[in-house]
Structure formats: structure tokens, C-alpha cells
């Protein structure tokens, strides 16, 4: 495969988002918008990626480096247009071989095959290939001026004539070049336009004037939608979810009410999994074959084993690891805990920072008391143990295999295997005392009324 450098432009301020968070860091499917663009570039075969950001965008640079440490960073200190921004990555493209693709960083639905549409045109002999699309409403987009399959120019909307504005084929978000052509032309762009900016799209006209072969490819409108405001962000999220739902159902996952289930970019679900309505998957979730996720559950950073049952109204937080045939029932929260095969946590419990053995039964209202105000501590429960309802296991503590913890106990010391543990205050009953207390209270209330 020909070497590919992708330059992602993300120097804009995104003021229409009305947010302290940079536009390209707003998430779609749990991943920042710019992360989707970088991932698509890698899918297309990019061996190098250069990211161009603005002077106040350290937050973007840190987030992108966390996702893909190999990305190279460049800064556009003064906003002078897209061609000027791309030229800031000079240290990357000066030595680039093969192809260079320049892509805008605010297109979260891009995929690798969108890049391939124009890269394949370069493979076929073109020097420059630009990705276009035909939007329902072309207002605001640069128009493709064509002669057959040749792209003569891209006219920005503000500079276009009335006749040119009637053109339906518009500029999308990827401009691909042979590396030597890009290097030769990028510094020749001028700012003779209504905005006095250096337009990247002017490279098309310059390439034609230099006798280069210039063409285009066409992508579906949804794939290349950009995000400029909260309304477009919501629409992008909706389109992303529609694609994920269809992909999972085609792969053998049952969604009882597809529109009410929300996935992340990295959700992994095996075949024959059933998902009931109103379930949300945060990042980092793996669901194995045959599991059932009941309604109104929220799962993030968790692993659910084969034939396990989760919910309804369950919450699995990061590092929850459920083994085969585990049951986590209604209003149960599990966090950073490994739950062994066949264990049952049926209702109203919190299990955090714990290791729970196979076939353990945890009754209603059980909590692992894992936090002392400064540090988290571990609870270990051995195989086949039984933890009675409304018990508190004060970590660090270990419950041996086959042990029985009586209901309502507060366990602060280790329990050996097969032992019965009781941690209750002794019950005392005082005959007639309740009647005296109620009578005294009633008399006091009556005296206040008088």
C-alpha cells in the first residue's frame, strides 16, 4: 500500500457550540469527534497523522495523544484559513512520500472507506482527488466546478455566482494529493477572496493550471456530515447509533426496542445476546454470547460473561467483571469487582472492590464497605458462601468458602471457611414499654396544643 500522511485540521474555535469544551472534543458514541476522524484515517492506511490545532487547544492535544500517542502535533497561531493551517504541518509533509490527505477534524461519521474513495482515484493515476457529496441543502458549501470527471475548481459559497450556487455537488471534507504535488502547490495559495483567507480548496485550480490530473469521488451525505453546533451534534449521535444498532442486529444481537439502546464506539457484543429497552453502554464494554441485559441498565467499562443476566435497573461500573451464568439483578451496582461463575446478586446491593467466588449468593441490601474516606479496600468472598440480607462487609475483609453470614450482620473481621458469622447487637424486648412511650408522646403533643 502507498504510504499515506493524513493532516487533520482542528484549529477552529467552534464558537457555535457555545461551550468551554473545544468542538472536536465533544463526544459521539463516547469518542471525541476528532478521535473518529483519526481512527478513520488509520483505517484508510495512514502511517502518519499530523494534527493542526489552535494556540488555546492544549486540551485537544492531550486528549488526542491519549487516544493515539503517535499523532504529530502542529499549531496554527493565527487563523488565516485552511491552506495556512495545513501548511503548519510542514515538518511532516516535507519528507512525506506517497500520498497526503488533508481532512477536517469535525466529521465524526467518517470511515476508512471514505478516504479510500479518493485514494483509489490517486491509485488510478490522478494527481489530486477531492471527496464530494450531494447534500439536500447545499447552502454554505463549496461547489464543485467540473468538466466530466475532471474537477476544475471548488468555489466557496460566499464567492460563488448565482449560477454556481445552483450546483448540487459540493465539497465534503477530504482532499487527497500526491505528496510532491501538495508540496509544490501549498505555498502558492493566495487570499484573493471575500474572507481574505488562504483556502485549501484553491489547490484544485492551481493543480489544473499546473497541468495536473484532478478529479473527485462522491460519499454518502451522512458519512461526511460536519458538526458545528449542538443540534448537529445530536443528529450525528443519532446517525451513529442507527448504524451501530443495525450492525449489531445483523451480527445476531436481539434488540427489543432498538431506538432506546445506546452504544459506544467500542462496544463488543457477541451473537445471541438479548438487550431489552432503555439500556446504555458506555465505553469499554464486552458482552459474551447468550447474556441478557434487562431494561434500564447502564454498563460502562465492564465485562459480562456467557449467559449472564444483568438488570433490570442495574449499573455496572468500570472493571466490573461478571463470569458465566452470573446474575446481577435489579438496583444492583457493581464496580471494580470480579464475580465468579454462577454467583447471584439479585437485588438492592453494592459490590465494589471485591472478588466474589463461584456460586456465591448475596442477599438483598448487602454492601461491601470499601472506602474509609482516604483509601479503597478489598473484600474477598470464597466459593459457595452465603451472605444474608442487609449485611455490611467492612473491608478489608475475607469471607471463607462455604461460610454463612447471618442477615443484618456487620462483618469487620475475617470469617473462616464453613463458619457461621453473626455481627448483630443483642436483641432485647421490654414488655409494655412501647405503650408507655407512645402515651407519653401523645400527652406531650396534647399539652402543646393547649
Amino acid at each position: 500500500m502507498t504510504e499515506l500522511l493524513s493532516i487533520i485540521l482542528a484549529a477552529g474555535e467552534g464558537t457555535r457550540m457555545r461551550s468551554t469544551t473545544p468542538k472536536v472534543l465533544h463526544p459521539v458514541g463516547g469518542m471525541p469527534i476528532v478521535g473518529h476522524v483519526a481512527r478513520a484515517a488509520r483505517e484508510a492506511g495512514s502511517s502518519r497523522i499530523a494534527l493542526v490545532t489552535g494556540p488555546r487547544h492544549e486540551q485537544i492535544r492531550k486528549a488526542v495523544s491519549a487516544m493515539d500517542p503517535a499523532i504529530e502535533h502542529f499549531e496554527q497561531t493565527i487563523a488565516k484559513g485552511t491552506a495556512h493551517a495545513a501548511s503548519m504541518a510542514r515538518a511532516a509533509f516535507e519528507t512525506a512520500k506517497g500520498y497526503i490527505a488533508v481532512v477536517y477534524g469535525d466529521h465524526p461519521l467518517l470511515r476508512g472507506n471514505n478516504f479510500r474513495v479518493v485514494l483509489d482515484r490517486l491509485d488510478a493515476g490522478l494527481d489530486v482527488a477531492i471527496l464530494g457529496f450531494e447534500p439536500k441543502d447545499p447552502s454554505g458549501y463549496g461547489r464543485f466546478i467540473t468538466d466530466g470527471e475532471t474537477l476544475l475548481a471548488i468555489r466557496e459559497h460566499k464567492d460563488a455566482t448565482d449560477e454556481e450556487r445552483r450546483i448540487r455537488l459540493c465539497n465534503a471534507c477530504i482532499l487527497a494529493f500526491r505528496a510532491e504535488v501538495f508540496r509544490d502547490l501549498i505555498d502558492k495559495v493566495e487570499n484573493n477572496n471575500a474572507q481574505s483567507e488562504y483556502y485549501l480548496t484553491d489547490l484544485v485550480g492551481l493543480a489544473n493550471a499546473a497541468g495536473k490530473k484532478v478529479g473527485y469521488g462522491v460519499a454518502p451525505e451522512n458519512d461526511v456530515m460536519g458538526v458545528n453546533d449542538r443540534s448537529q451534534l445530536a443528529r450525528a449521535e443519532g446517525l451513529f447509533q442507527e448504524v451501530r444498532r443495525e450492525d449489531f442486529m445483523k451480527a445476531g444481537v436481539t434488540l427489543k426496542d432498538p431506538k432506546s439502546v445506546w452504544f459506544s464506539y467500542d462496544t463488543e457484543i457477541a451473537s445471541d445476546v438479548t438487550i431489552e429497552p432503555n439500556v446504555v453502554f458506555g465505553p469499554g464494554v464486552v458482552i459474551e454470547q447468550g447474556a441478557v441485559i434487562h431494561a434500564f441498565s447502564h454498563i460502562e467499562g465492564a465485562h459480562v460473561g456467557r449467559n449472564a443476566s444483568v438488570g433490570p435497573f442495574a449499573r455496572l461500573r468500570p472493571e466490573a467483571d461478571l463470569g458465566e451464568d452470573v446474575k446481577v439483578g435489579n438496583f444492583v451496582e457493581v464496580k471494580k469487582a470480579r464475580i465468579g461463575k454462577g454467583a447471584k446478586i439479585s437485588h438492592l446491593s453494592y459490590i465494589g472492590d471485591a472478588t466474589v467466588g463461584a456460586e456465591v449468593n448475596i442477599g438483598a441490601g448487602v454492601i461491601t464497605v470499601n472506602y474509609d474516606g482516604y483509601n479503597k479496600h478489598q473484600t474477598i468472598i470464597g466459593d459457595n458462601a452465603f451472605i444474608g440480607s442487609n449485611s455490611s462487609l467492612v473491608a478489608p475483609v475475607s469471607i471463607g468458602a462455604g461460610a454463612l453470614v447471618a442477615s443484618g450482620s456487620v462483618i469487620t473481621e475475617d470469617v473462616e471457611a464453613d463458619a457461621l458469622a453473626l455481627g448483630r447487637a443483642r436483641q432485647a424486648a421490654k414488655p409494655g414499654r412501647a405503650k408507655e412511650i407512645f402515651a407519653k408522646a401523645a400527652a406531650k403533643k396534647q399539652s402543646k396544643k393547649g
Side-chain angles (χ1 to χ4, degrees), residues 324-346:
E324 185 176 354
D325 295 319
V326 164
K327 179 182 179 182
V328 169
N330 51 291
F331 302 103
V332 171
E333 180 176 339
V334 180
K335 166 252 175 188
K336 201 174 183 180
R338 187 166 184 261
I339 314 300
K341 180 179 179 179
K344 293 178 174 59
I345 314 170
S346 294

Side-chain angles (χ1 to χ4, degrees), residues 347-349 361-367 386-392 404-410 424:
H347 29 234
L348 301 163
S349 295
N361 188 90
I362 294 180
V366 171
I367 60 172
F386 187 100
I387 312 299
S389 297
N390 289 324
S391 293
S392 296
L404 169 61
V405 173
S407 297
S409 294
V410 177
R424 308 169 179 157

Side-chain angles (χ1 to χ4, degrees), residues 2-5 95-100 122 177-181 183:
T2 304
E3 184 177 314
L4 174 62
L5 163 68
T95 58
K97 299 177 181 179
Y99 302 152
I100 294 174
L122 299 186
F177 309 83
R178 293 187 182 277
E180 65 276 11
V181 173
R183 277 193 295 269

Side-chain angles (χ1 to χ4, degrees), residues 116-263:
R116 292 310 319 171
V117 167
V118 287
L119 296 174
D120 288 348
R121 300 301 308 277
L122 299 186
D123 287 343
L126 291 184
D127 297 300
V128 179
I130 314 299
L131 190 66
F133 74 120
E134 296 187 34
K136 296 180 180 66
D137 179 7
S139 299
Y141 293 106
R143 306 307 204 278
F144 277 11
I145 312 299
T146 62
D147 181 8
E149 293 188 359
T150 298
L151 179 60
L152 301 175
I154 302 175
R155 194 81 70 235
E156 296 297 333
H157 181 86
K158 292 179 180 180
D159 301 311
T161 65
D162 289 342
E163 182 179 353
E164 289 171 339
R165 289 181 182 183
R166 285 193 285 271
I167 296 172
R168 306 293 302 181
L169 186 59
C170 298
N171 183 32
C173 53
I174 302 174
L175 301 90
F177 309 83
R178 293 187 182 277
E180 65 276 11
V181 173
F182 182 81
R183 277 193 295 269
D184 182 54
L185 298 177
I186 187 63
D187 291 329
K188 297 178 181 179
V189 177
E190 298 180 348
N191 63 344
N192 301 321
N193 53 67
Q195 299 297 105
S196 295
E197 290 188 351
Y198 297 90
Y199 291 152
L200 190 65
T201 49
D202 285 351
L203 288 172
V204 172
L206 291 171
N208 277 293
K212 304 300 181 183
K213 297 177 182 179
V214 184
Y216 60 92
V218 180
E221 181 176 6
N222 286 348
D223 288 7
V224 296
M225 79 161 291
V227 170
N228 292 302
D229 55 34
R230 304 285 183 151
S231 177
Q232 291 174 342
L233 180 67
R235 182 167 177 267
E237 183 71 51
L239 291 170
F240 174 87
Q241 295 299 334
E242 286 179 13
V243 172
R244 294 291 277 158
R245 292 163 188 154
E246 287 297 321
D247 286 347
F248 280 126
M249 289 188 286
K250 288 176 183 176
V253 177
T254 296
L255 305 181
K256 295 288 189 178
D257 179 19
K259 289 186 178 180
S260 71
V261 180
W262 293 75
F263 298 103

Side-chain angles (χ1 to χ4, degrees), residues 117 226 306 420:
V117 167
R306 291 172 62 91
L420 168 64

